[in-house]
Amino acid sequence: MNDVVKQKPLPKNANKSQNSNSKKRKYKEVALFGNYKNYYGYRIGQELEEDPRVKVFRKEWFEGKDCLDIGCNSGLITINIAKKFCCRSILGVDIDTDRIEEAKWNLRRIMRESTGKLPAKPSRLKDAKAAEVSDHCVAESPTEWKGEDCEGLSPCNLSERVFFQRENFVQTRISDDKRYHTITCLSVTKWIHLNWGDEGLINLFTKIWKLLQPGGMLILEPQPWDSYSKNHKVSETARKNYSTIEIFPESFQDILLDKIGFRLVEDISCHLSGSKSGFKRPILAFWK
């Protein structure tokens, strides 16, 4: 005679609890390229009005200049730079279409909150021009810089100075004409490294150098090596690249100076404060 094993009845809420847990697991965000939604919210916290990184930037690095923000995510830093430092133009690029749409929405929201009016949606012609800008990795300056004061910059002018475009920067060709004065690349290197390996990283640095005007500058915030281990399993590609990486973040400065061709570097992170735990990363300014 076979023994019958009686199972204990499950608690009333057990199924609900299991379903709830499976849903949490199911909807856990996986960002293959670091393109997290609401990234700035958990990066700096809701209690801060401004990203601490922007506080260590200097006005003369952006004022009246053409700028590029690589890996702009939802565009909050891009817009903040334009408002605070009055750059002539700034183009934010990101590999994620959803983040770019969010950045455009944020631009319209900020303009609406500042003026009380809903700005008109960009025309198809303007979108076409933005796409052309992206293809060449160069932002056309919409107007000649006349040296106006930042405080006199009307929020409605942001639409003439701030642009967003979906772009895979590592794999985009470079044009031979216009160049940027300032390029920001904040917390992006790890994701390029994991997705395209050492070759992709060197390609990133080389493209940035080529896109800068003589005397132009790069503001770089590289993630430390110990943070790679937390994300190297997001994809099979990342897992493979992680195991073959030979260029580590602590050597980025030497590579940019000795191999890429930058002539000067300054560590500006010593003035950085207000970042959440886990996000206190070095910020380096390089000059071409």
Side-chain angles (χ1 to χ4, degrees), residues 10-11 16 24 87 96 142 144 146 187 189 199 223 244 256:
L10 288 172
K16 288 184 181 179
K24 284 180 183 177
C87 51
D96 190 333
E144 185 180 352
K146 298 178 181 177
S187 289
T189 50
E199 184 180 349
Q223 295 101 318
T244 60
L256 285 161

Side-chain angles (χ1 to χ4, degrees), residues 1 32 64 134 139 156 222:
M1 186 175 175
L32 300 181
S134 171
C156 63

